[in-house]
Amino acid sequence: AEGYFTEHYTWNKLTTNVNGIMIANFWIEHVGDLDVLNHRSGDRTKITFMQSGWTGRNKFKVTGEALDRQGNKVYDIAGDWTSKLVARPVDATGSATQEAETIKRPSHMDATVSADDAVKYAASNSIQVPRTPFVLWKINDRQTKNNTYNLTTYAMSLNDKPAELVPYLCPTDSRFRPDQRAMETGEYELADTEKSRLENKQRATRRRREQGELKAWKPRWFTKEFDNDSNESYWRFNDAYWTEREHAAQLQKEAGATQPASVDVWDDVENIF
């Protein structure tokens, strides 16, 4: 919906370090200042991801502040980016050591209200922020079964491939990538072999494009545009994927298919795996 409900955020990328390589005790660390700007309201949040010392001091620590459009600080932010972040209003009531409150989804929130009715949607899906410290975010419990890499539930879901969905996925969907799937299932030698095969296939395809044997590459699902707010170019999803998927799904249903679709079912899609 345009107007009342439309918001546009931009933020910068942090520096990500991989530590402990020499001692085979790997851990990832994000370092630097994260600046999140709401271009519609002018509100801004500045968060510093602190760098850990040799003794582990400040490991995963985060501090920051939220500012309104006039530049006035309205919240202090602190916590660990691996566990929980807490916001404290600058005019908070109660003790500075008071336990942070967890904001629950109100029972009156109506998920059925259409976002097209922006004012009604905002009114029925808003949350009253307390004037005491409250939890901005906290990590969910992680699945322990079949979770070799200690991934979050969200990260695991990205590679989930339900059997009933397989016939309708695009052949270029990353969930079909064989080296990634082998790595997930613990078949490390196969993963290494498949990774090398795919890289060689990509190099060969690039050479054929450069020699004019294949048509020039053009992104299928995204269009490059310019963002006037940030003065940077970006790739905008063009909605063509869902239109093509609906068409391909109809063909698969008519054929009674239960296996992945071939590149012939999808228009202008290549066999990349």
Side-chain angles (χ1 to χ4, degrees):
E2 293 295 330
Y4 184 89
F5 192 69
T6 302
E7 294 186 328
H8 179 202
Y9 293 88
T10 59
W11 58 90
N12 60 291
K13 189 181 184 305
L14 294 167
T15 298
T16 299
N17 300 326
V18 179
N19 300 319
I21 295 178
M22 300 301 295
I23 59 176
N25 182 24
F26 305 119
W27 57 280
I28 292 176
E29 179 179 41
H30 300 303
V31 179
D33 295 326
L34 179 66
D35 191 359
V36 182
L37 175 62
N38 184 334
H39 292 275
R40 295 294 177 263
S41 68
D43 298 327
R44 182 187 300 267
T45 297
K46 299 179 179 180
I47 301 178
T48 298
F49 287 67
M50 304 177 71
Q51 187 164 14
S52 172
W54 286 102
T55 62
R57 180 180 173 84
N58 295 327
K59 190 175 183 179
F60 308 136
K61 293 293 183 183
V62 171
T63 62
E65 57 186 17
L67 312 173
D68 63 18
R69 69 184 66 187
Q70 284 79 34
N72 301 314
K73 183 168 69 171
V74 289
Y75 296 103
D76 286 310
I77 299 172
D80 295 348
W81 63 265
T82 56
S83 57
K84 183 171 70 174
L85 295 179
V86 171
R88 185 178 189 277
V90 293
D91 58 348
T93 57
S95 168
T97 59
Q98 179 179 346
E99 179 97 19
E101 177 182 349
T102 298
I103 301 178
K104 297 182 179 180
R105 180 185 176 94
S107 58
H108 70 271
M109 293 182 76
D110 185 0
T112 64
V113 175
S114 172
D116 293 330
D117 187 344
V119 176
K120 186 177 181 181
Y121 185 91
S124 64
N125 290 274
S126 59
I127 295 176
Q128 188 66 37
V129 177
R131 302 313 304 164
T132 54
F134 60 94
V135 177
L136 281 173
W137 165 86
K138 67 178 180 180
I139 192 170
N140 292 321
D141 293 334
R142 299 197 182 191
Q143 177 180 323
T144 56
K145 184 179 180 181
N146 299 324
N147 191 1
T148 306
Y149 305 102
N150 196 32
L151 299 174
T152 64
T153 301
Y154 172 71
M156 293 181 69
S157 72
L158 295 178
N159 205 38
D160 188 32
K161 194 174 60 175
E164 63 272 16
L165 186 61
V166 165
Y168 311 120
L169 294 176
C170 181
T172 59
D173 194 298
S174 64
R175 285 171 284 188
F176 291 128
R177 182 170 163 167
D179 59 334
Q180 179 174 281
R181 183 63 61 184
M183 191 71 176
E184 180 178 329
T185 57
E187 301 173 273
Y188 303 119
E189 290 187 7
L190 176 60
D192 187 56
T193 300
E194 284 296 284
K195 181 175 182 294
S196 296
R197 181 185 67 80
L198 289 178
E199 289 175 345
N200 289 331
K201 183 174 182 177
Q202 291 167 0
R203 295 188 188 100
T205 299
R206 176 177 292 181
R207 285 194 297 269
R208 294 182 64 192
R209 288 194 195 284
E210 292 172 346
Q211 295 168 1
E213 297 178 22
L214 297 174
K215 65 179 181 180
W217 174 253
K218 181 180 179 181
R220 183 76 168 82
W221 318 120
F222 296 86
T223 305
K224 194 171 187 178
E225 295 190 355
F226 184 79
D227 176 36
N228 292 319
D229 287 332
S230 63
N231 291 320
E232 295 179 353
S233 59
Y234 72 104
W235 291 96
R236 182 183 63 81
F237 180 59
N238 58 23
D239 295 321
Y241 172 82
W242 295 112
T243 301
E244 182 61 27
R245 176 161 153 173
E246 184 176 355
H247 172 69
Q250 185 60 39
L251 295 178
Q252 288 286 83
K253 288 179 180 178
E254 292 174 356
T258 59
Q259 299 301 311
S262 68
V263 293
D264 298 327
V265 175
W266 287 66
D267 182 45
D268 200 20
V269 168
E270 297 182 6
N271 180 1
I272 63 174
F273 299 135

